[in-house]
């Protein structure tokens, strides 16, 4: 598209009206095919406009690079399998989903195998929906050019990567690999170490004799988190309110994803406009050029992490004496081999991955799954080949004009990797759907094909499906009308369109609206009649109070203002349910032994927790809240509740504290020891401990992980390699927060990026929104020209692409 240089000197402050016109495509410069206009508003949100998608992608990457170049640049090292070369093979590769971070060497081996697979070449050559739509390909190609132009411009000064040998121009394949990483967060990314650790049994070994270690009960329970994007307590909240439950009769959406505060899974807010073709605002993950959560003139949508599993395991029966051959319907089949090599900077390390028609061979020690002379296990990932199809789908989602049209897009592409969708439109309709890329594994198939022994134990304990690979009829079923074989059609996935409300906080589809519970779908999607999480319960409780007008926020039903006030109240449902009996038990037995056997006097702790009773929330001034937070993190999972779950009362049970369980007060003794060790007062509030570090600035953070809807997850480590402030430093939780009302005159949206837009300390947007979040303040997300014109302090940049 002509020269790729940046026009020198065209960085200017413009009139508010002029900036708005440029951002909406009304300016002459934006109408030129080789120019892109970036208007950055006073919160640091860029509004990017161009007459074509390649220029749009160029401008997006250039704007993004000023805020976050180094963070994404290091991730390109990761997905190219080069971490060992630059950072050492024994170092850790930050993995946002696996719970434990793989070594750089294991990460490199995995990514080299992806590159060897030919996936990029085959998918990029394919026609849509497998391959990219023309607009999507243009956007990605422009992004590559914009990223490289920024690197060549001399503007890169961030010490995190400026001048480093691992910083280089990128290619379209780099962007594709980043797409693989995003798509497989809840599947292959969690098996990196397990894939790298799989090897045929050596002669004379215990495995050659068919022996593996049996998993413990604790290991089996821990497998519950496998296949979820983060631990089971984390995820997101989403609420969509329709015409029956809003004050103005339109649609309203709360988007509240809980995502990492570090690394590439941070959201970045932006608006993308090609006049007449695409005009979407919201947030996207680093290196994904399309809006992932957002709104246009007609709809708003958000996502929460789904309970659906995007993979299954298979048990293979091996040919005696030939551990790389397996039986299918009685016939021997040879495994494939993918040979890779990793440059560690000192030596080359070679490795062989073994592939089958059921995926790649894995060793999963927590499940007791090991490669022996008789048995091997594989993992098949439905999302590994979902990059362009997912990008195509998000492009079309951004152009949907109603929730019915949005559902049609999701049903056609079936590409959402790991999320539920919660949405509303200007007509007052709302949508809930877990309509995405899920293996076509029915309850009947699981019943017929789940092998006895370990696979049954794993399934019962963790819900991880293992199928019999010795029988071809146990493979994923094929359904008519799906874009790729082996996935569920939308008709077999839960979805509903309503006019009251839908809510999800990472539990299954069952109670998306409690007045109309869903029927059971395949267990691979999730279960019904099961205990709900604290955020699901609190969300529905607060919605009921809001609709009745009994929450002290004024007139019944929802407005954008009352949605914000409801979200930011930081109520701890757990404290409301168990704090009083905990204090009573503490006062009754104030001398306890901690886990290390030392005697701890809890008298001061009892007093601190009693003081927390007047708060029972995650506010900055909630005295005693930190002690309660630490106690709950270490409290036993079993024997906790006094009144158990009752399927007839799923939103109000369980409740109460089983104070007969001695481990509850033992956990409190442990918490006292921890606070003492860190010289933290037992009465410390959240604001005195929970924080984020921004250079020399330490910003207190409200929210909690004890049932707060606004979930915040602080570190309790003292040597976390990825967090700068260590103990009390927030590393996960509420990230992009948006409240969007759909009105006849256009969308009205306010929100916050909790950790701010930039990871570059030199950016003016490094900490501005974090300070606003700490003070419970919101910023406007201007969408229309008039809304942008009303923003003070806009600046515009015009770039030649």
């Amino acid at each position: 598209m002509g020269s790729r240089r940046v026009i020198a000197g065209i960085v200017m402050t413009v009139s508010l009206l002029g900036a708005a016109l440029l951002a909406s495509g009304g300016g002459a410069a934006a109408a030129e095919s080789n120019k892109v206009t970036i208007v950055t508003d006073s919160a640091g949100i860029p509004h990017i406009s161009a007459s074509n998608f390649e220029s749009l992608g160029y401008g997006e990457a250039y704007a993004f690079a000023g805020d976050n170049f180094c963070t994404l640049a290091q991730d390109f090292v990761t997905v190219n399998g080069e971490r060992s070369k630059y950072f050492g093979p024994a170092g850790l590769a930050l993995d946002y989903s696996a719970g434990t971070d793989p070594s750089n060497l294991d990460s490199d081996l995995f990514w080299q195998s992806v590159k060897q697979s030919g996936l990029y070449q085959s998918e990029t050559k394919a026609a849509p929906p497998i391959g990219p739509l023309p607009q999507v390909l243009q956007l990605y190609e422009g992004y590559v050019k914009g990223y490289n132009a920024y690197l060549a411009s001399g503007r890169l000064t961030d010490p995190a990567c400026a001048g480093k040998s691992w910083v280089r121009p990128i290619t379209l394949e780099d962007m594709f690999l980043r797409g693989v990483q995003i798509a497989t967060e809840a599947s292959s990314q969690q098996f990196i170490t397990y894939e790298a650790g799989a090897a045929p049994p050596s002669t004379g070994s215990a495995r050659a004799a068919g022996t593996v270690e049996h998993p413990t009960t604790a290991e089996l329970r821990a497998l519950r988190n496998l296949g979820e994007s983060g631990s089971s307590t984390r995820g997101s909240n989403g609420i969509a309110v329709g015409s029956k439950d809003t004050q103005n009769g339109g649609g309203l959406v709360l988007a509240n994803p809980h995502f990492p505060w570090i690394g590439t899974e941070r959201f970045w807010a932006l608006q993308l406009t090609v006049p007449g073709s695409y005009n979407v605002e919201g947030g996207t993950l680093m290196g994904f050029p399309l809006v992932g959560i957002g709104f246009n003139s007609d709809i708003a949508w958000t996502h929460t992490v789904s309970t659906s599993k995007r993979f299954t395991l298979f048990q293979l029966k091996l040919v005696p004496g030939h551990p790389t051959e397996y039986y299918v319907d009685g016939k021997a089949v040879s495994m494939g081999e993918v040979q890779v090599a990793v440059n560690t900077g000192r030596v080359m390390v070679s490795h062989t991955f073994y592939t089958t028609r059921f995926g790649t061979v894995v060793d999963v020690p927590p499940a007791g799954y090991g490669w022996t002379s008789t048995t091997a296990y594989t993992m098949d990932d439905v999302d590994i080949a979902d990059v362009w199809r997912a990008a195509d789908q998000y492009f079309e989602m951004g152009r949907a004009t109603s929730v019915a049209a949005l559902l049609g897009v999701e049903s056609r592409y079936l590409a959402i990797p790991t999320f539920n969708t919660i949405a509303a439109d200007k007509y007052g309709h709302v949508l809930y759907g877990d309509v995405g890329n899920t293996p076509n594994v029915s309850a009947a198939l699981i019943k017929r094909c789940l092998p006895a022994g370990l696979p049954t134990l794993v399934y019962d304990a963790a819900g991880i499906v293992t199928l019999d690979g010795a029988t071809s009829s146990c493979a994923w079923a094929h359904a008519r009308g799906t874009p790729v074989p082996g996935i569920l059609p939308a008709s077999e996935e839960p979805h509903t369109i309503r006019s009251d409300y839908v809510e999800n906080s990472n539990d299954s589809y069952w109670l998306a609206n409690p007045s109309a519970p869903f029927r059971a779908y395949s267990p691979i999607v999730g279960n019904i009649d099961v205990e709900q999480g604290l955020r699901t319960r609190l969300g529905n409780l607060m919605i009921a109070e809001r609709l009745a007008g009994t929450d002290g926020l004024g007139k019944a039903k929802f407005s954008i203002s009352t949605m914000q006030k409801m979200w930011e109240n930081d109520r701890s449902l757990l404290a409301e349910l168990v704090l009083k009996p905990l204090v009573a038990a503490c006062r009754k037995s104030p001398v306890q032994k901690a886990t290390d056997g030392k005697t701890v006097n809890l008298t001061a702790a009892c007093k601190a927790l009693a003081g927390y009773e007047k708060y029972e929330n995650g506010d900055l001034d909630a005295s005693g809240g930190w002690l309660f937070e630490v106690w709950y993190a270490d409290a036993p999972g079993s024997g906790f509740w006094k009144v158990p779950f009752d399927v007839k009362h799923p939103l109000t049970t369980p409740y109460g504290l089983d104070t007969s369980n001695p481990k509850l007060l033992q956990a409190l003794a442990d918490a006292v020891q921890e606070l003492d060790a860190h010289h933290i007062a037992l009465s410390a509030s959240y604001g005195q401990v929970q924080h984020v570090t921004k250079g020399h600035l330490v910003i207190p953070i409200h929210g909690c992980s004890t049932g707060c809807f606004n979930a915040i997850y602080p570190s309790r480590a003292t040597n976390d390699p990825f967090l700068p402030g260590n103990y009390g430093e927030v590393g996960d939780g509420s990230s992009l927060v948006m409240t969007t009302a759909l009105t006849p005159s256009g969308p009205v949206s306010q929100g916050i990026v909790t950790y701010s837009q930039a990871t570059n300390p030199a950016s003016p947007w490094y900490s501005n929104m974090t300070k606003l979040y700490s003070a419970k303040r919101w910023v406007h997300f201007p969408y229309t020209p008039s809304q942008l014109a009303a923003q003070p302090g806009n600046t515009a940049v015009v770039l030649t692409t």
Side-chain angles (χ1 to χ4, degrees):
M1 290 189 63
S3 67
R4 302 178 189 177
R5 65 184 177 85
V6 179
I7 294 181
I10 305 188
V11 179
M12 54 194 171
T13 300
V14 298
S15 70
L16 297 181
L17 180 57
L21 291 173
L22 288 170
S24 64
E32 297 180 37
S33 62
N34 66 336
K35 286 183 168 48
V36 57
T37 301
I38 306 166
V39 179
T40 304
D41 66 30
S42 57
I45 300 171
H47 304 260
I48 306 161
S49 180
S51 63
N52 61 78
F53 286 95
E54 184 171 346
S55 294
L56 187 71
Y58 183 104
E60 180 186 356
Y62 204 94
F64 170 85
D67 287 342
N68 299 291
F69 184 95
C70 291
T71 304
L72 185 56
Q74 186 173 143
D75 198 60
F76 286 133
V77 177
T78 298
V79 298
N80 270 279
E82 296 181 322
R83 292 194 63 85
S84 296
K85 176 181 178 180
Y86 295 107
F87 309 120
L92 297 179
L94 180 59
D95 191 322
Y96 311 98
S97 55
T100 56
D101 301 304
S103 70
N104 287 337
L105 179 58
D106 284 352
S107 175
D108 289 345
L109 293 171
F110 170 83
W111 284 108
Q112 290 292 346
S113 74
V114 174
K115 292 168 67 177
Q116 290 277 1
S117 70
L119 192 63
Y120 163 70
Q121 291 79 6
S122 62
E123 285 204 10
T124 305
K125 291 178 181 178
I130 307 305
L133 291 165
Q135 303 96 318
V136 169
L137 183 59
Q138 292 161 16
L139 185 72
Y140 271 72
E141 289 175 336
Y143 196 99
V144 170
K145 292 177 180 179
Y147 178 100
N148 292 341
Y150 184 89
L151 177 59
S153 71
R155 293 176 179 267
L156 180 59
T157 58
D158 186 346
C161 72
K164 299 294 176 67
S165 59
W166 45 268
V167 176
R168 58 168 176 80
I170 62 169
T171 66
L172 185 62
E173 185 174 9
D174 291 312
M175 292 293 291
F176 179 89
L177 292 169
R178 169 62 179 145
V180 172
Q181 187 182 46
I182 294 171
T184 59
E185 279 188 358
S187 45
S188 287
Q189 293 303 292
Q190 303 192 29
F191 285 84
I192 287 177
T193 299
Y194 301 146
E195 285 192 18
S202 56
T203 303
S205 68
R207 286 190 175 186
T211 302
V212 294
E213 293 185 17
H214 198 280
T216 66
T217 301
E219 287 176 320
L220 288 172
R221 287 176 178 169
L223 286 172
R224 294 173 185 171
N225 295 339
L226 197 60
E228 297 182 15
S229 194
S231 80
S232 61
T233 60
R234 305 182 186 186
S236 308
N237 304 312
I239 299 175
V241 188
S243 57
K244 287 185 178 180
D245 291 339
T246 56
Q247 293 174 2
N248 67 359
L252 176 65
V253 170
L254 167 69
N256 181 206
H258 301 157
F259 261 56
W261 285 36
I262 54 175
T264 52
E265 307 317 291
R266 288 168 45 113
F267 279 93
W268 188 64
L270 75 167
Q271 182 177 10
L272 296 173
T273 304
V274 172
S277 296
Y278 189 80
N279 190 5
V280 186
E281 186 164 0
T284 188
L285 299 179
M286 294 187 186
F288 183 65
L290 291 145
V291 173
I293 289 176
F295 61 94
N296 60 27
S297 60
D298 301 306
I299 68 166
W301 79 92
T302 188
H303 292 309
T304 58
V305 174
S306 165
T307 55
S308 290
K309 295 290 188 287
R310 267 44 178 185
F311 66 91
T312 68
L313 303 176
F314 287 86
Q315 184 187 69
L316 304 183
K317 181 182 178 181
L318 302 181
V319 176
H322 299 275
T324 60
E325 296 180 25
Y326 60 102
Y327 288 113
V328 179
D329 297 334
K331 296 181 179 179
V333 180
S334 296
M335 295 179 182
E337 295 184 5
V338 178
Q339 296 179 346
V340 301
V342 167
N343 181 355
T344 69
R346 302 176 73 178
V347 298
M348 297 295 293
V349 175
S350 299
H351 183 77
T352 301
F353 291 90
Y354 292 84
T355 61
T356 73
R357 68 174 64 181
F358 302 113
T360 304
V361 180
V362 293
D363 274 4
V364 188
Y369 287 4
W371 193 344
T372 70
S373 60
T374 59
T375 306
Y377 295 86
T378 67
M379 191 278 292
D380 205 359
D381 182 357
V382 76
D383 282 332
I384 195 74
D386 187 33
V387 175
W388 293 127
R389 183 159 54 98
D392 291 347
Q393 174 171 309
Y394 275 95
F395 174 74
E396 296 293 3
M397 287 169 63
R399 304 204 296 181
T401 56
S402 67
V403 294
L406 179 64
L407 177 60
V409 170
E410 294 188 346
S411 300
R412 184 165 66 255
Y413 284 93
L414 292 170
I416 290 181
T418 183
F419 304 124
N420 303 289
T421 298
I422 297 92
D425 62 28
K426 67 182 181 182
Y427 309 105
H429 302 123
V430 298
L431 164 70
Y432 165 82
D434 190 352
V435 178
N437 204 22
T438 303
N440 192 345
V441 176
S442 66
L445 190 146
I446 294 173
K447 183 177 181 180
R448 176 170 58 86
C449 293
L450 179 67
L454 274 179
T456 297
L457 286 176
V458 168
Y459 180 71
D460 290 343
I464 304 294
V465 175
T466 306
L467 300 172
D468 183 3
T471 305
S472 61
S473 64
C474 291
W476 300 345
H478 293 187
R480 288 185 179 181
T482 58
V484 294
I487 63 174
L488 287 170
S491 60
E492 294 180 31
E493 297 181 304
H495 55 271
T496 184
I497 293 177
R498 312 174 56 83
S499 58
D500 46 5
Y501 81 90
V502 290
E503 189 275 349
N504 184 268
S505 293
N506 310 117
D507 286 302
S508 78
Y509 55 87
W510 177 35
L511 298 177
N513 184 292
S515 68
F518 276 104
R519 67 169 177 85
Y521 287 79
S522 168
I524 203 167
V525 179
N527 296 311
I528 66 171
D529 299 336
V530 292
E531 183 178 328
Q532 301 295 286
L534 291 169
R535 285 184 289 109
T536 297
R537 293 171 60 182
L538 179 60
N540 282 282
L541 172 62
M542 293 191 300
I543 290 170
E545 293 173 347
R546 177 82 296 269
L547 297 180
T550 59
D551 56 3
L553 299 180
K555 181 181 176 182
K557 298 188 177 182
F558 279 94
S559 66
I560 197 169
S561 174
T562 55
M563 180 68 82
Q564 291 172 356
K565 291 176 181 176
M566 185 189 82
W567 176 81
E568 67 185 15
N569 64 32
D570 287 335
R571 286 172 63 177
S572 165
L573 182 60
L574 185 75
E576 294 177 15
L577 294 174
V578 307
L579 182 56
K580 284 182 173 59
L582 175 62
V583 171
C586 180
R587 286 171 169 165
K588 183 178 180 180
S589 304
V591 178
Q592 295 289 326
K593 283 194 174 182
T595 302
D596 63 6
K598 294 181 180 179
T599 299
V600 178
N601 190 316
L602 300 179
T603 302
C606 304
K607 183 179 179 180
L609 291 174
Y612 183 53
E613 288 184 15
K614 75 174 184 177
Y615 300 100
E616 295 186 342
N617 60 39
D619 282 351
L620 295 181
D621 64 350
S623 175
W626 185 254
L627 177 62
F628 186 74
E629 177 94 13
V630 175
W631 165 76
Y632 179 55
D634 292 339
S638 59
F640 185 87
W641 299 106
K642 180 178 181 180
V643 177
F645 172 71
D646 183 347
V647 71
K648 295 180 180 179
H649 304 283
L651 296 178
T652 54
T653 60
Y655 65 88
L657 192 66
D658 183 3
T659 54
S660 67
N661 184 349
K663 291 188 176 181
L664 291 170
L665 289 183
Q666 184 182 64
L668 184 57
D670 292 342
V672 169
Q673 287 184 325
E674 179 174 317
L675 268 63
D676 286 346
H678 288 280
H679 308 289
I680 296 171
L682 299 181
S683 60
S685 67
Y686 280 97
Q688 292 173 303
V689 183
Q690 190 166 266
H691 67 278
V692 64
T693 304
K694 295 281 188 176
H696 298 296
L697 189 64
V698 177
I699 303 171
I701 299 297
H702 61 89
C704 74
S705 64
T706 62
C708 283
F709 208 61
N710 173 26
I712 293 293
Y713 302 100
S715 172
R716 291 164 56 209
T718 56
N719 58 349
D720 192 312
F722 300 112
L723 291 175
N726 289 309
Y727 192 85
E729 183 83 16
V730 173
D732 204 318
S734 288
S735 51
L736 170 72
V737 187
M738 290 193 304
T739 52
T740 305
L742 288 310
T743 74
S745 59
V748 176
S749 186
Q750 296 177 355
I752 201 76
V753 181
T754 57
Y755 34 65
S756 300
Q757 287 276 79
T759 55
N760 178 4
S763 169
W765 319 121
Y766 181 59
S767 61
N768 64 313
M769 280 203 264
T770 308
K771 289 184 273 189
L772 293 173
Y773 166 77
S774 181
K776 295 190 176 181
R777 294 173 59 191
W778 303 73
V779 303
H780 291 280
F781 279 53
Y783 179 82
T784 66
S786 60
Q787 289 172 349
L788 186 57
Q791 290 281 100
N794 296 333
T795 60
V797 178
V798 181
L799 305 176
T800 295
T801 63

